[in-house]
Amino acid sequence: MRNIVLFGPPGAGKGTQSQKLIDKYGFIHLSTGDLLRAEIAAQTPLGMEAKKLMDKGELVPDQVVIGMIGHKVEANPQAPGFIFDGFPRTVAQAQALDQLLQANGTAIAGMVALEVVEDELVKRLLLRGATSGRSDDQDEGTIRRRFNEYQAKTLPVAEYYKGQAKYQAINGIGEVEEIFGSLCQVIEKL
Ligand code: AP5
Ligand code: MG
């Protein structure tokens, strides 16, 4: 199994590039953001609780997302690999993921970070917000709060993988295809 953490701030292109990786390599995509939005759409109690935090641009509790990921990993023992998108977002989540994968006889092969400057991220998210209906893309204040959460809680996750010599970064600005090419080069060497 080739399990990859696709890392980067809100709007870096994790979802966009994940879709292309799935099409090319047949990986299973695990996006905690997408899973949470599905819970909101289904109006589950979990979704309703998560929505309050997501609308403010804050992270949901670790136990909630760890539980979601656990079910998906256990349900797909034959997968060629998993793409983790938007997870792990805290060091506690990264530790839980290592334990979960170990219990399933596998591990993270590497983290690949998409590097994009903040002005470009704001531009992308506001543009998407005009049509997507994502409530956390609607105003710059909420977008900035997502960046603050990223700086405070999520950036340490990059250090966690650097400590395991599993971290690599690529330029996330430019044409989607060009970025995908760089990403594939890194992934094929893992
Ligand atoms: P989540 O859904 O993960 O959102 P996010 O991290 O804020 O990131 P986005 O999905 O907005 O960006 P992306 O990097 O996927 O970029 P995309 O490809 O879409 O999380 C949402 C919320 O859920 C969190 O705030 C939190 O509350 C909660 N949550 C989720 N996971 C959690 C966890 N593990 N723990 C706790 N809480 C959690 O691209 C963005 C836009 O840019 C698109 O419109 C796209 O078309 C465009 N674009 C992409 N690439 C390019 C390019 N190269 N050039 C120009 N435009 C581009
Ligand atoms: Mg996304």
Side-chain angles (χ1 to χ4, degrees):
M1 263 193 188
R2 211 160 6 158
N3 303 311
I4 294 142
V5 179
L6 198 51
F7 191 71
K14 303 182 295 291
T16 304
Q17 297 295 336
S18 290
Q19 195 50 57
K20 297 182 71 65
L21 290 171
I22 296 153
D23 294 346
K24 181 165 178 177
Y25 299 104
F27 294 136
I28 303 261
H29 184 208
L30 290 182
S31 158
T32 40
D34 289 350
L35 293 171
L36 289 165
R37 281 183 289 276
E39 295 280 339
I40 294 172
Q43 300 194 335
T44 64
L46 188 156
M48 294 302 96
E49 276 310 301
K51 183 173 175 11
K52 292 180 201 158
L53 295 162
M54 290 166 76
D55 283 352
K56 288 192 282 185
E58 292 173 17
L59 295 187
V60 306
D62 287 335
Q63 318 81 268
V64 172
V65 286
I66 291 166
M68 291 178 140
I69 287 287
H71 296 137
K72 293 281 178 184
V73 169
E74 280 151 22
N76 291 285
Q78 306 300 336
F82 292 98
I83 299 284
F84 296 98
D85 158 5
F87 178 89
R89 253 176 156 98
T90 63
V91 171
Q93 290 178 23
Q95 288 165 338
L97 179 60
D98 273 352
Q99 282 169 17
L100 173 73
L101 292 178
Q102 197 180 15
N104 285 272
T106 184
I108 289 295
M111 165 183 270
V112 189
L114 297 170
E115 291 185 325
V116 181
V117 291
E118 201 164 301
D119 285 352
E120 167 73 12
L121 298 169
V122 174
K123 210 166 68 186
R124 289 182 188 179
L125 294 175
L126 287 174
L127 189 68
R128 181 177 64 188
T131 54
S132 72
R134 256 184 75 165
S135 53
D136 55 350
D137 283 346
Q138 300 302 319
D139 68 276
E140 199 167 330
T142 310
I143 291 171
R144 296 271 173 210
R145 268 199 300 283
R146 285 158 67 194
F147 293 156
N148 291 343
E149 288 280 85
Y150 175 78
Q151 291 279 344
K153 298 174 187 165
T154 307
L155 267 183
V157 177
E159 297 305 314
Y160 179 84
Y161 288 100
K162 283 178 194 169
Q164 297 185 5
K166 289 182 178 174
Y167 175 91
Q168 293 187 68
I170 61 169
N171 177 20
I173 297 185
E175 294 296 326
V176 168
E177 282 304 327
E178 195 187 330
I179 298 164
F180 184 59
S182 319
L183 190 56
C184 291
Q185 274 185 10
V186 171
I187 286 176
E188 281 168 22
K189 285 190 200 132
L190 290 177

